[in-house]
Amino acid sequence: MIIEEARAKVNLTLPVLGKRSDGYHELDSVMHSITLADTVTLEKADCLSLSVSGDAPQGQKNLMWQAAELFFKETGTPGAASMTLEKQIPSEAGLGGGSADAAAVLRGLFRLYAPPIPKARLLSMAAALGSDVPFQMEGGCARCRGRGTELAALSPWEGLPLIVVKPDFAVSTKKAYALLDEREMPSSPAATERCVKAIADRDLSLLVDSLSNDFEAVLFHEEPRLREAFRFLSSFSVPARMTGSGSAFFLLPGERDRLSLMEAIKKARPSWQIFSAETAGWHSCI
Ligand code: C5P
């Protein structure tokens, strides 16, 4: 049996540079893995199955299923797998949870069946499954360009304390991109250069200064609940940013007492999910 940790990610920066001819958007984002994670287990079996505990799609609707089907088809590997998912990462949150689970399936099946294919083939399968899946194959920290699938690895800055907050509502990624198109909001491409430098120099104040997300302006305008969530989280006087197209946020509490901050958030917003996490490094090698 193979056990794979499927870690969430946060977007430290998320400039959306424009719409591409293939309908996707050109990005230049810095993503970082965090310790909040799902657990995926895989076992050789005669037919494909998936058992889910927690809040995630069942069976063929889950991207893990599509990842497994793609793996067996593309590699010509005979056999199948019995898969389980223990879900921790909130869905529709911008935390890349579904992508992390799909990447865990590709990594795990590769370890389980060891097909004679180069790593590049596995990465192109990942890209076919979704824009965030290639990053989630190795995780750590990377500058993600193109539709998010062109990766330049950065040295992960492990152990930065975070609080991850998922309000009790979700945001549709497709709708978020459509709103960006309508509004033609200015992008913040310089943030990524600053973020890359901050990570190279381990410069926390530059990192905090570089945190940005192009979806915030447009979504805060359109979604009052999201705007209110940001205002509320910003009232704790620690850096707070949305990740992906929301609706989750991450806070960098720095030296502040994380537990008391989390308690204060929980007390004021009891229906929200709140997690303690740290930035994390690479997954085991594929
Ligand atoms: O690639 P993925 O399936 O995760 O993308 C979900 C949706 O997000 C796409 O259908 C597209 O509408 C939007 N998207 C985009 N540009 C990207 C990534 C995603 O427009 N770079």
Side-chain angles (χ1 to χ4, degrees):
M1 186 197 283
I2 298 264
I3 301 177
E4 286 284 337
E5 198 187 13
R7 291 186 193 135
K9 59 83 181 163
V10 292
N11 296 86
L12 297 175
T13 66
L14 184 43
V16 183
L17 305 177
K19 196 161 182 181
R20 297 153 44 115
S21 54
D22 61 4
Y24 284 90
H25 290 75
E26 191 72 16
L27 309 179
D28 186 7
S29 172
V30 177
M31 294 200 211
H32 210 303
S33 294
I34 65 172
T35 51
L36 175 64
D38 297 337
T39 306
V40 168
T41 59
L42 301 165
E43 236 176 320
K44 286 186 180 178
D46 295 331
C47 62
L48 198 55
S49 65
L50 171 61
S51 155
V52 174
S53 67
D55 182 20
Q58 304 278 344
Q60 300 181 12
K61 288 200 183 119
N62 195 302
L63 198 59
M64 288 172 66
W65 191 285
Q66 293 154 42
E69 280 191 335
L70 189 67
F71 175 89
F72 289 112
K73 183 169 151 252
E74 288 287 309
T75 61
T77 306
S82 155
M83 310 186 282
T84 70
L85 169 64
E86 287 166 56
K87 198 75 194 157
Q88 286 287 328
I89 307 170
S91 305
E92 296 189 293
L95 292 164
S99 306
D101 301 338
V105 167
L106 291 182
R107 280 198 311 274
L109 290 177
F110 188 75
R111 282 169 62 199
L112 205 54
Y113 281 100
I117 57 160
K119 190 174 140 186
R121 277 276 301 287
L122 212 56
L123 283 177
S124 70
M125 284 182 229
L129 290 164
S131 304
D132 289 345
V133 185
F135 169 76
Q136 294 288 31
M137 291 297 287
E138 274 181 306
C141 183
R143 184 172 185 166
C144 309
R145 285 188 260 211
R147 53 178 266 250
T149 58
E150 294 164 28
L151 309 180
L154 304 170
S155 163
W157 189 345
E158 292 181 53
L160 281 176
L162 302 173
I163 298 171
V164 176
V165 179
K166 165 69 173 56
D168 55 3
F169 52 87
V171 172
S172 146
T173 302
K174 279 194 181 199
K175 186 179 162 200
Y177 275 109
L179 284 171
L180 262 187
D181 291 341
E182 277 169 31
R183 300 212 154 252
E184 293 180 0
M185 302 296 276
S187 178
S188 50
T192 290
E193 288 294 348
R194 288 208 308 279
C195 187
V196 168
K197 184 169 181 351
I199 288 166
D201 297 348
R202 298 295 194 255
D203 181 338
L204 190 56
S205 71
L206 183 59
L207 180 76
V208 167
D209 182 52
S210 73
L211 298 176
S212 72
N213 184 327
D214 277 4
F215 284 109
E216 285 184 353
V218 66
L219 285 177
F220 293 173
H221 188 266
E222 292 293 325
E223 297 275 355
R225 289 180 303 173
L226 210 56
R227 180 172 66 238
E228 192 281 328
F230 180 67
R231 275 208 199 124
F232 166 68
L233 293 171
S234 299
S235 71
F236 293 96
S237 303
V238 298
R241 281 265 83 88
M242 199 172 77
T243 177
S245 56
S247 60
F249 292 83
F250 61 99
L251 281 65
L252 276 88
E255 301 293 303
R256 293 270 298 276
D257 179 29
R258 213 180 338 178
L259 216 58
S260 63
L261 268 174
M262 289 173 67
E263 275 164 12
I265 298 169
K266 189 85 204 156
K267 196 164 171 222
R269 299 288 185 275
S271 60
W272 292 9
Q273 290 173 277
I274 301 160
F275 304 90
S276 175
E278 279 92 42
T279 49
W282 288 292
H283 285 292
S284 52
C285 255
I286 41 169

